[in-house]
Structures are given as C-alpha cells and as structure tokens.
Amino acid sequence: MTASTRAIILKASLATLLSIAASLGLAVTVVPMLGGVVDGTAWLMCILCPLLIAWPASAWQFRQAQRLKDAHGEIARLHGALSAAHEALLERARRDGLTGLLNRESFLADLEQAMTPGGEGTLLFIDADHFKQVNDRFGHPVGDDALRRLAQAIAGAVGEGGLCGRLGGEEFAVYLPQTALTEAQAVAKQVLDAVRRLRIVSPAGEPVSLTVSIGAAGWTGGATIERLIAEADAQLYRAKLQGRNRAVCALNIAAVA
C-alpha cells in the first residue's frame, strides 16, 4: 500500500467519523425538538448511513484530489524537463558542433554585448598555421581531432573569464573583457605555449605539429565592433607576414622560437 493510498484511507475515515458525529448530534437535538424519539433504529441509521455513504464518497473525493495533485506535479515536472531541454537546445545551437566553442554568430553577438560603454577589452584572432597541410597529409579525421585539441588548448589557456569561439575552419577568436591590450599579452603567450605543447599523433604514429598565429586588438570604448574586428584581423595578417607562430598587436608581443 502506497503512502498516498494510506493517506486517502485515513482522511476518508476521519471524514466518516465526523459525519457520524454530526449525524448523531443532529439526531439527539433535532428529533426530540420535532417530538420524535431516538431509539435503537435511529442510532443504527445515524451510524450506518455515514458509513455507507460518507466513506465511499470521501474516499473517491480524496482520491480525485490526489490524482489531480499528482497530475499537477507531473505537469510541473514535464514543464521543467521541457524548459531544461529547450535551454539545452538553445545552448547547443550556440555551439560549434566540432569543437564545442561558441559558433561564429554567437561569438559575435556575445562580443557586441560585452562591449559595454566605458569598458575595455582585447580581441584575439587566432589562426592555425598551414592547417591545410594537416588535412592533406593526415586526412580530415586527424584534422578534426587536431581542431578539437586546438580548441581545448585555447579555452584552457584563456580560462573562464574570456569568450572563445570558432569563426570557421581553423580560425578562432577570443575576447577578454575588462582586459587591456598590455595585459592580454600574457594570455596570448599562454595560448601559444598551450598549442606548442599539444601532442597529436596520426593513426600511423606520425606526430602532428601545430602552431598558431595571433592578432590582438585592444578596445577602450571608442571603437565600433567592426573597427575592432578589422584591427584584430590586420594584426593577425602581420603575425603571418612576420613568420607565423607568434602573436602581434602594435608590436610583436610574443613569439615561439
């Protein structure tokens, strides 16, 4: 017997006892007032009628109330599960399917939101060097694994305080809110070092080496998002011209020998 069934029986029994008491009370007060006599048959009817009527009716009513309560609880549970699934789908739609980082649209939307008036931050554009050679030499499955590992290295170096996204192909972006360009140099260096430490091996046992080029652009509240992106892209181009495997802003701020 379940706890809810026991509760229904208890409440129906209590309601029945109250009905018997009310019936007996009415009998001993009303019947004499009408000139009648409360005899054995009257006492029996005052007890049997509530037992035969009040208990089944009360049990049915309490059962219906419990079922309604259970239904409301199930609806609330399903609504919570639906809301959680909806949130999960929304978050999944914001993510790149291969790397788990923010996709291009979500990253740019979050970047625009993060550029609050009066604030500052630094945008890093990150591009894997000569990545086409990885796909051509080792195949796309190895290339996909390399991109996943690269994304993990970037996110690990940046930490929870920054926005990380995959812009497409082997291009990534990081935004460091409330971080001046000079402070972002250390983060860029950490990304370079994290990528350099990656140990990726092809199915044939060949090592797959990766390096990245980084362009950094600082924002102090005066420039538009388009200007910030253009500046970071320009610095990335400079990093490639200077030999890749390095991070560049106004000057070469970090390089891997």
Side-chain angles (χ1 to χ4, degrees):
M1 184 183 297
T2 64
S4 61
T5 301
R6 287 194 296 269
I8 291 172
I9 293 175
L10 179 61
K11 287 189 284 187
S13 300
L14 180 60
T16 301
L17 289 176
L18 292 175
S19 296
I20 292 174
S23 179
L24 292 173
L26 287 173
V28 299
T29 55
V30 176
V31 172
M33 291 175 58
L34 297 176
V37 178
V38 181
D39 54 12
T41 301
W43 289 112
L44 185 61
M45 293 299 296
C46 288
I47 295 173
L48 286 179
C49 286
L51 282 176
L52 296 176
I53 298 174
W55 199 96
S58 298
W60 180 85
Q61 183 178 9
F62 288 130
R63 174 56 181 161
Q64 292 300 105
Q66 183 62 45
R67 292 179 64 182
L68 184 61
K69 181 180 178 181
D70 292 343
H72 285 164
E74 181 65 11
I75 290 173
R77 186 190 68 80
L78 292 174
H79 184 269
L82 183 61
S83 297
H86 181 65
E87 292 296 327
L89 285 174
L90 287 178
E91 183 61 23
R92 185 174 179 179
R94 283 168 42 82
R95 298 286 169 176
D96 172 61
L98 179 64
T99 65
L101 300 183
L102 293 172
N103 58 34
R104 182 185 184 91
E105 293 77 12
S106 298
F107 177 84
L108 294 177
D110 286 3
L111 171 61
E112 191 166 14
Q113 281 192 334
M115 295 173 65
T116 56
E120 64 176 346
T122 298
L123 177 64
L124 307 178
F125 271 10
I126 304 169
D127 188 74
D129 297 328
H130 305 297
F131 193 79
K132 184 177 184 300
Q133 296 178 6
V134 175
N135 284 327
D136 292 344
R137 180 177 177 183
F138 302 105
H140 286 280
V142 174
D144 288 348
D145 181 56
L147 286 174
R148 282 190 289 265
R149 298 281 301 279
L150 179 58
Q152 292 170 2
I154 293 172
V158 172
E160 296 182 357
L163 298 174
C164 297
R166 182 187 180 198
L167 301 184
E170 63 272 18
E171 298 177 354
F172 299 85
V174 169
Y175 183 69
L176 304 170
Q178 304 304 319
T179 304
L181 185 59
T182 53
E183 298 171 345
Q185 296 178 13
V187 178
K189 181 64 165 60
Q190 289 170 5
V191 171
L192 290 170
D193 291 341
V195 175
R196 180 180 57 182
R197 290 193 298 266
L198 286 175
R199 294 295 179 264
I200 304 173
V201 180
S202 72
E206 297 180 77
V208 181
S209 61
L210 285 179
T211 62
V212 293
S213 298
I214 303 176
W219 176 78
T220 56
T224 63
I225 184 174
E226 292 80 11
R227 176 69 182 275
L228 179 64
I229 290 173
E231 182 63 24
D233 193 50
Q235 300 305 328
L236 175 61
Y237 183 69
R238 288 183 59 198
K240 293 180 179 181
L241 287 180
Q242 293 181 21
R244 304 176 187 267
N245 192 21
R246 66 192 64 228
V248 171
C249 55
L251 298 172
N252 183 13
I253 60 175
V256 178

